[in-house]
Structures are given as C-alpha cells and as structure tokens.
Amino acid sequence: MQQPPADLLVIGGGVNGTGIARDAGGRGLSVILAERGDLAGATSSAATKLIHGGLRYLEQYEFRLVREALAEREVLLRLAPHIIWPLRFVLPHHPGLRPAWMIRIGLFLYDHLASRVSLPGSVGIPLKNDPRGAPLKPSFTRGFEYSDGWVDDSRLVVLNAMSARALGAEVHTRTAVTAARRENNLWHATLVDQDSGASREVTARGIVNAAGPWVRDLLVGGFGRNPKNAVRLIKGSHIVTRRLFEGEHCYIFQNADGRVLFAVPYEQDYTLIGTTDVALQSLDGPPRISEEEIDYLLASASEYFAKPVQRDDIVWSYAGVRPLYDDGENDPSAITRDYVLDLESDAAPLLSVYGGKLTTYRRLAEHAMDKLKPFYPAMRSGWTATGILPGGNVGEFSGFVAELARRHAGLDQPWLHSLARRHGSHCDAILGDAKAMSDLGEHFGGGLYAAEVSWLMRQEWAREADDVIWRRTKCGLRMSAVQRERLQTWMAANRPNLTETPSA
C-alpha cells in the first residue's frame, strides 16, 4: 500500500538538511529525509569545527552574517553542551600585517555586534613571559584574546537527525533521490537504495534541496531545471599533528595572503591546523588534500611557532568542499559565507539551499521554514532556539561527568570523559550496568568498544567502519589498519535489524 504524501521531502543529510528536517518535524510536519551517503559524509564533517562569528568577515562588511553567527554561539552552547563548548582564541600581533588599531576595532565590533551572556570579551595580552606565548617565536611579544566556541561537527549533524527522527521524521541514509516531478500538486520522487539498488517512489507536498555541493547538479539532473543561481566549490583542507602546545586555548594566525589559520587543541593529544581555500571547477570523487596545501599549512603555522611544524608531525589530514553561493567574487577567500534560499513557488514548493555556515545552520533552518510557511498554514511556530539536542540535558558538564564517574567508578576515567563528550546523557544507555572495561565488549583499539559501536549502529545510522571512526568518533586517530579492518568485519557480522524505529 502506498504511504500517504509527506509534507516535506528533505534531500541532503548534512547540517542544513538535518537542521531543516528537525525544525519541520517540531512544527508538526511529516518529513522524509534522504541522504545518498552517510550523515555528514561530505562538507559537514570537514569543517574547522568552530562555532564562531567569523572575525575576518568583518573586513568584507558581512555584518549581518557575523551578527547572526555571534548570536547563535550562545544558543548552541545551551542546546548541546556536551559537543559544543567555549574556547579562547589567541591572536598574536604580526607587525607586518594588520595594524594593532585595526584589530582592536575589529574585536570591539566582535564583542558588541551581538549580546554575550556566557562568553568573556576580548582583551590585549602580553605574550612575552606568558604561557600562551611560550610556543611562539620570541618576536611575537603582544597579542589579543577573544571568545568563540568548539563543536564536534559530525556529531552535531547526527544529533539533529536523531531529534528529527524522534519527532516523527523518516531518515534514510545511503538513499539517493534520482528524479522528481510535479503531478497533481504533489512531488513524486524516486529514491534509490545505494546498497541494494532497489528503488521506490514517495510523494511529498514540498521539497527542500539541501544537497550542498550537489545542489545545482540535482536541480539539473534530477528535476530537469535550469537554475539561475550557481555555487562556487571551494576546497578546504586540514592537517592534524601531534600536539604542538599546552593549554586549552587555540591560536588564530594572520597570513600574508590575507587569510587566517587556526591551530586548535584536538582530541586531547593532537593539534588541528586549517584551513585552505582552493577553487574547484568540478567535484569528481571525494576531495583530497594536495601536496601544495600541506606545504601551505606547514609554512603558515611555522611562521608563528618557534619549533617549525614538519611533515613528520602530521598524523591525519582531511578535506571538504564548501558549496558557497556564487556572488561573482574572484578571490575564493572573499566569496560570501552567507546563505541564499531560492524558493520556486508553485502549489508544490521547491526550496534550494545555497551556501551557509556550520554556526548558522539553525537560523538557516528557521528562515527556510519561514519561506515555506505560506504552503503549510497549520505549521506551528519556531521552537529550536530552546530545544535541547539529544544527549544535551546534562546541566553543567563537569558536574555531569563527575556524577557519571561516581556511578561507573570501575571504568577508565579519561575514556569515560571522552564518551560523555560524544554522547552526553545517552552514556547510561550505552554503558548499562558496566562495572569494568571488560563489560563493554570487544575493544577494537583507540578507545572504541563494542558497546558504543552497537549503539552507533542501532541508533545513529552507522553502517561502515569509517562512519564510526572518522565521523561519530575520532577513534581512527589511534587505530591501526588491522584494527580498523577488524572493526569492519565485526560490524558486518553484527548488523542490526532496523525494520523498527530505534527507541532513542
């Protein structure tokens, strides 16, 4: 029997698609979300993993975007305190680049464009004889410090998908939308399972195209459209090195080419360095960091660190493609990071999403629903500004971890802290009555145990080893090739039956 039409079909399982699906579900709409790969499998897992206003965007007069992003920092810190937390950013002053007075003005605007509730403002700092200046070349004697935030980008996407599912949405991963047509005021879309090749047709009263880098390709190939808007594909690459400095702050470095570089503490033992801006003409296969980008990142970081960063320090790298709205700029770094929502009005609407930032995904979703409201007059009002994401009801995080450690005193405490950072209040469902690490099942290496993998497969749509070790966790940093292969074998042998909706 054919299922009744959904109110909304959302195409794309990145942060924008899952954010829109969640928002729509909470407003009372029936939703189907289709993602042709894994959740956060492309752009949304390849960010610098910052919740920030974008200090450098002030130079491009992107005041609306910066204001919105700054306001969202406070919102997101409340919604997911287990995967989002404050960071202090140290900006060493490079006398040959932006003058100090310009930086002070920029930081004043940054402090005051939007209200700050929990985050301290910016200050000038002497770097000489200060621990924050110790890793840097002695020529950097003064600097500035300001606030932004950190986010586990892949987990943010998964949590939005989990919330959408809890609100009634159907979430289908590894499911491509290959064609769609309007008929009798409904969209008829063909969904193809990427593993089995099986296809089926679903109907929906409206469609949101949040396919990221493929937003225009989908309109042309799947919808037979000739869209007026275009995307610019800009590759951003990162390297992860052995830990380069002590402390929980991160650094933002000015480069001679006008860009900035971040060096961020990462997964306790590492430093994340990025990013680059490389224009692509097309996207043929998964993006990879180039030798030139590696050289650029190493040279840029070594301009500031007293000990040069070498290739031997690199333990991992990743690259993603930002689908930026094409505003006509030639310089990849100057292209707007703002988003554009293109609505094709008809009895059955089609809304396409161009651009956007990780930080502003929730506001983008709200704006998308505002545009769609005329087609759904019974739709409820916005709600996500106060809707805690799954696992986020932990209160003050350090207190939550202390209580978790008390209840599971026999477990490794640093590992328990890492688990809490990934899952928040869902830790109890994963741990059960475990009293010792041996109660968690097979250890695959890198702090990854069968109990957590089972949860990720049953509750978080993980199907392959890479889904687990690079997106839902970062345990792959500490795992050998043999261990990763063993995990893949175990997952294939223990694939859960997901014909019923997961309970959480």
Side-chain angles (χ1 to χ4, degrees), residues 410-486:
L411 302 184
D412 180 79
Q413 299 302 293
W415 176 85
L416 199 60
H417 186 277
S418 296
L419 190 77
R421 273 297 181 204
R422 291 197 285 270
H423 299 285
S425 58
H426 285 162
C427 282
D428 284 328
I430 296 169
L431 295 171
D433 58 358
K435 294 179 173 55
M437 299 303 289
S438 57
D439 295 333
L440 300 173
E442 183 173 347
H443 181 220
F444 300 104
L448 185 66
Y449 288 82
E452 184 178 9
V453 178
S454 294
W455 170 272
L456 297 174
M457 294 174 71
R458 288 184 290 106
Q459 303 290 346
E460 299 191 9
W461 298 276
R463 293 195 193 177
E464 307 294 336
D466 280 0
D467 302 348
V468 170
I469 64 175
W470 297 123
R471 286 183 283 277
R472 287 153 186 81
T473 79
K474 296 298 182 290
C475 293
L477 287 166
R478 299 178 175 89
M479 294 174 69
S480 68
V482 171
Q483 289 172 327
R484 294 194 290 267
E485 185 176 343
R486 167 58 192 156

Side-chain angles (χ1 to χ4, degrees), residues 102-341:
M102 180 183 292
I103 296 173
R104 286 185 183 277
I105 291 174
L107 289 173
F108 177 84
L109 288 172
Y110 207 68
D111 283 342
H112 294 91
L113 273 174
S115 63
R116 287 179 293 106
V117 177
S118 62
L119 299 176
S122 60
V123 295
I125 55 173
L127 293 175
K128 190 176 181 180
N129 300 322
D130 187 289
R132 292 165 293 186
L136 305 177
K137 291 179 178 178
S139 57
F140 296 105
T141 60
R142 60 185 296 204
F144 305 88
E145 190 180 55
Y146 67 94
S147 294
D148 265 323
W150 166 267
V151 62
D152 187 324
D153 51 2
S154 300
R155 292 214 56 76
L156 180 64
V157 175
V158 170
L159 297 187
N160 273 275
M162 293 175 74
S163 180
R165 180 183 61 200
L167 293 163
E170 294 181 25
V171 178
H172 302 281
T173 62
R174 291 174 168 82
T175 301
V177 176
T178 59
R181 71 186 190 281
R182 279 194 187 99
E183 186 178 303
N184 297 326
N185 295 331
L186 286 176
W187 282 105
H188 295 251
T190 303
L191 275 57
V192 178
D193 186 293
Q194 298 297 88
D195 292 332
S196 68
S199 66
R200 65 187 178 101
E201 184 176 279
V202 300
T203 55
R205 296 183 177 87
I207 289 181
V208 171
N209 172 12
W214 301 276
V215 58
R216 198 174 190 279
D217 292 346
L218 181 63
L219 289 172
V220 174
F223 291 79
R225 297 294 195 274
N226 184 22
K228 63 180 185 297
N229 294 312
V231 292
R232 294 284 296 279
L233 302 178
I234 306 299
K235 183 173 64 162
S237 297
H238 297 76
I239 56 175
V240 176
T241 69
R242 300 179 184 90
R243 184 149 190 162
L244 301 177
F245 57 91
E246 296 301 317
E248 295 307 312
H249 62 281
C250 76
Y251 292 99
I252 173 173
F253 299 143
Q254 303 174 78
N255 292 342
D257 60 5
R259 301 203 69 258
V260 296
L261 189 80
F262 293 99
V264 188
Y266 191 64
E267 295 292 316
Q268 293 84 51
D269 301 320
Y270 307 98
T271 299
L272 173 66
I273 298 175
T275 179
T276 60
D277 273 333
V278 178
L280 301 179
Q281 295 304 311
S282 61
L283 187 55
D284 302 317
R288 297 280 186 267
I289 191 170
S290 68
E291 294 298 314
E292 292 77 13
E293 288 176 290
I294 293 174
D295 290 341
Y296 173 85
L297 294 173
L298 292 174
S300 298
S302 298
E303 178 75 14
Y304 287 84
F305 285 120
K307 181 181 179 182
V309 188
Q310 309 282 354
R311 281 179 177 257
D312 288 348
D313 294 319
I314 300 173
V315 298
W316 185 49
S317 66
Y318 64 89
V321 175
R322 310 179 194 99
L324 305 181
Y325 176 73
D326 189 354
D327 60 0
E329 280 284 353
N330 292 321
D331 180 1
S333 297
I335 299 170
T336 182
R337 266 53 175 178
D338 212 343
Y339 52 84
V340 171
L341 304 175

